[in-house]
Amino acid sequence: MPEDTVKHIDFTELNKKAISKPLISHIYTADPSAHVFNGKIYIYPSHDIDAGEAFDDLGSHFAMEDYHVISMDSINSEAVDNGVALHVKDIPWAEKQLWAPDAHEKDGKYYLFFPAKAYDGIFRIGVAISASPTGPFTAQPEAIKGSFSIDPAVFKDDDGNYYMYFGGLWGGQLQRWRSESFNPDEPKNPTAFIPKDNEPALLPLVAKLTDDLLEFSESPKQLEILDAAGNLLLAGDIGRRFFEASWMHKYNGNYYFSYSTGDTHLICYAIGDNPYGPFTFQGILLEPVVGWTSHHSICEVENKWYLFYHDSSLSNGVTHLRSVKLAEITYNVDGTIVPLKPYTD
Ligand code: FUB
């Protein structure tokens, strides 16, 4: 049976070795998407709660109900919780499970992008709008047309185009969309419809957004992640293949697509020369954290680069009670990223 809590770890000792501390500790937060708007740092996390749902490999225990936005005046200042920014009861199309969100700004308005399970049990991605980066946000009446699965990350390119990256396996349902429509069979089996080990792995999706950032302007396209020989990563290559938690950033003119490998608990990255890819796998960005999930964002703040991530150290290892943290990352001269260990040896 999978377990909800990490056992056999001395958390007092582990926390002494952690390279960073939770940014806030009065609530649990996870899946941080960080941006700088008007010179200030805004973090858009999931708000973890214990809703009493049993742990399973579909992520039913991630039963989040609202979003809070965290703000920081600078990278070393106190992190401020700005209260409820959006609640599931105010999202007409969504029933439950407000998972990893992201946000962006356009023309003075702020857009929160978020996945949630609709009343038919299918994950969709929605948008909510606010005049303020901290909300409150007003949800659109319907999810984005043609959206599915989880973990939207929105990237603004230098030419002003906005792209959404998304997708997640198992509870994230990506494997149920291998044909045009959702496959509802074997609803309790998280690995039904995952390709065989020797077949190409499932791929994340990317779609350019419309000018008003409320819809896809094109059908989502698969984002290829290749090995050094130019072959697609295989489904059995679980130490490298995409699982969930897409993020895109640009460094020195190159596009860096980073993601979680899910059941092998790594954050990895791949580099390409345009927002659609293909991307070539480079390596590990973050070694496993305490807790099953790993999820991150990468953000430049005053000419330094930071990884925003989470772990379950504050809850002594409870998988669905996580805390957002940050740590600086550095690049080698060849553009690769120096991997981070979340706890020193
Ligand atoms: O927080 C719920 C889910 O856990 C996210 O959507 C995944 O990326 C994982 O962090």
Side-chain angles (χ1 to χ4, degrees), residues 213-233:
L213 306 190
L214 298 179
E215 300 288 347
F216 294 153
S217 71
E218 59 188 1
S219 297
K221 301 177 193 332
Q222 292 186 327
L223 198 103
E224 294 190 336
I225 306 173
L226 310 176
D227 64 16
N231 300 312
L232 284 168
L233 296 183

Side-chain angles (χ1 to χ4, degrees), residues 28 40 57 62 74 95 100 202 215 229 234 241-242 308 336:
Y28 290 107
K40 203 165 156 175
D57 281 338
F62 295 111
S74 69
E95 183 187 9
L202 292 176
E215 300 288 347
L234 299 180
R241 62 91 171 87
F242 170 80
F308 292 76
T336 56

Side-chain angles (χ1 to χ4, degrees), residues 253-294:
N254 284 317
Y255 295 78
Y256 287 62
F257 179 73
S258 44
Y259 57 95
S260 166
T261 61
D263 52 346
T264 49
H265 318 292
L266 301 166
I267 300 290
C268 291
Y269 70 106
I271 298 180
D273 63 9
N274 74 86
Y276 292 103
F279 290 83
T280 303
F281 183 87
Q282 301 294 319
I284 294 170
L285 182 48
L286 180 66
E287 300 278 353
V289 294
V290 169
W292 199 97
T293 66
S294 197

Side-chain angles (χ1 to χ4, degrees), residues 49-115:
I49 54 168
D50 191 352
E53 297 287 336
F55 180 91
D56 65 23
D57 281 338
L58 291 168
S60 308
H61 46 302
F62 295 111
M64 299 83 112
E65 296 176 352
D66 63 16
Y67 292 114
H68 289 220
V69 182
I70 299 171
S71 55
M72 299 169 76
D73 287 337
S74 69
I75 205 73
N76 293 313
S77 41
E78 191 190 349
V80 174
D81 167 15
N82 292 278
V84 177
L86 178 66
H87 195 282
V88 70
K89 68 176 167 41
D90 298 319
I91 306 168
W93 60 269
E95 183 187 9
K96 60 185 178 182
Q97 290 181 293
L98 297 190
W99 285 13
D102 192 15
H104 233 301
E105 182 272 344
K106 187 171 185 186
D107 299 332
K109 286 205 267 184
Y110 297 85
Y111 298 79
L112 183 70
F113 305 94
F114 60 92

Side-chain angles (χ1 to χ4, degrees), residues 31 46 62 64 99-100 150-151 244-245 293-295 310 322:
D31 309 324
S46 302
F62 295 111
M64 299 83 112
W99 285 13
I150 59 164
D151 290 1
E244 62 187 3
T293 66
S294 197
H295 192 120
H310 69 223
R322 302 160 290 180

Side-chain angles (χ1 to χ4, degrees), residues 110-318:
Y110 297 85
Y111 298 79
L112 183 70
F113 305 94
F114 60 92
K117 222 172 240 178
Y119 288 91
D120 58 4
I122 300 177
F123 267 113
R124 306 279 180 187
I125 296 170
V127 191
I129 306 174
S130 177
S132 161
T134 56
F137 289 87
T138 303
Q140 291 296 106
E142 309 214 354
I144 294 174
K145 282 190 278 307
S147 70
F148 56 94
S149 199
I150 59 164
D151 290 1
V154 172
F155 165 73
K156 181 185 179 188
D157 207 349
D158 299 332
D159 62 4
N161 284 316
Y162 291 76
Y163 300 86
M164 181 180 287
Y165 298 84
F166 64 96
L169 307 189
W170 296 16
Q173 301 179 339
L174 187 60
Q175 69 282 358
R176 297 186 174 275
W177 289 96
R178 294 183 66 182
S179 60
E180 290 291 293
S181 58
F182 181 83
N183 186 339
D185 297 342
E186 300 186 53
K188 302 254 185 259
N189 181 355
T191 56
F193 319 115
I194 296 279
K196 294 193 180 66
D197 282 0
N198 61 356
E199 293 175 348
L202 292 176
L203 296 169
L205 282 308
V206 55
K208 194 188 279 188
L209 297 179
T210 50
D211 283 345
D212 60 9
L213 306 190
L214 298 179
E215 300 288 347
F216 294 153
S217 71
E218 59 188 1
S219 297
K221 301 177 193 332
Q222 292 186 327
L223 198 103
E224 294 190 336
I225 306 173
L226 310 176
D227 64 16
N231 300 312
L232 284 168
L233 296 183
L234 299 180
D237 191 352
I238 59 171
R240 298 197 295 177
R241 62 91 171 87
F242 170 80
F243 190 99
E244 62 187 3
S246 295
W247 189 257
M248 177 63 72
H249 77 283
K250 205 169 176 180
Y251 176 78
N252 274 354
N254 284 317
Y255 295 78
Y256 287 62
F257 179 73
S258 44
Y259 57 95
S260 166
T261 61
D263 52 346
T264 49
H265 318 292
L266 301 166
I267 300 290
C268 291
Y269 70 106
I271 298 180
D273 63 9
N274 74 86
Y276 292 103
F279 290 83
T280 303
F281 183 87
Q282 301 294 319
I284 294 170
L285 182 48
L286 180 66
E287 300 278 353
V289 294
V290 169
W292 199 97
T293 66
S294 197
H295 192 120
H296 72 299
S297 62
I298 296 167
C299 183
E300 185 179 20
V301 184
E302 293 183 347
N303 302 318
K304 289 187 173 183
W305 289 87
Y306 295 90
L307 182 75
F308 292 76
Y309 66 105
H310 69 223
D311 75 5
S312 294
S313 56
L314 185 66
S315 68
N316 287 352
V318 179

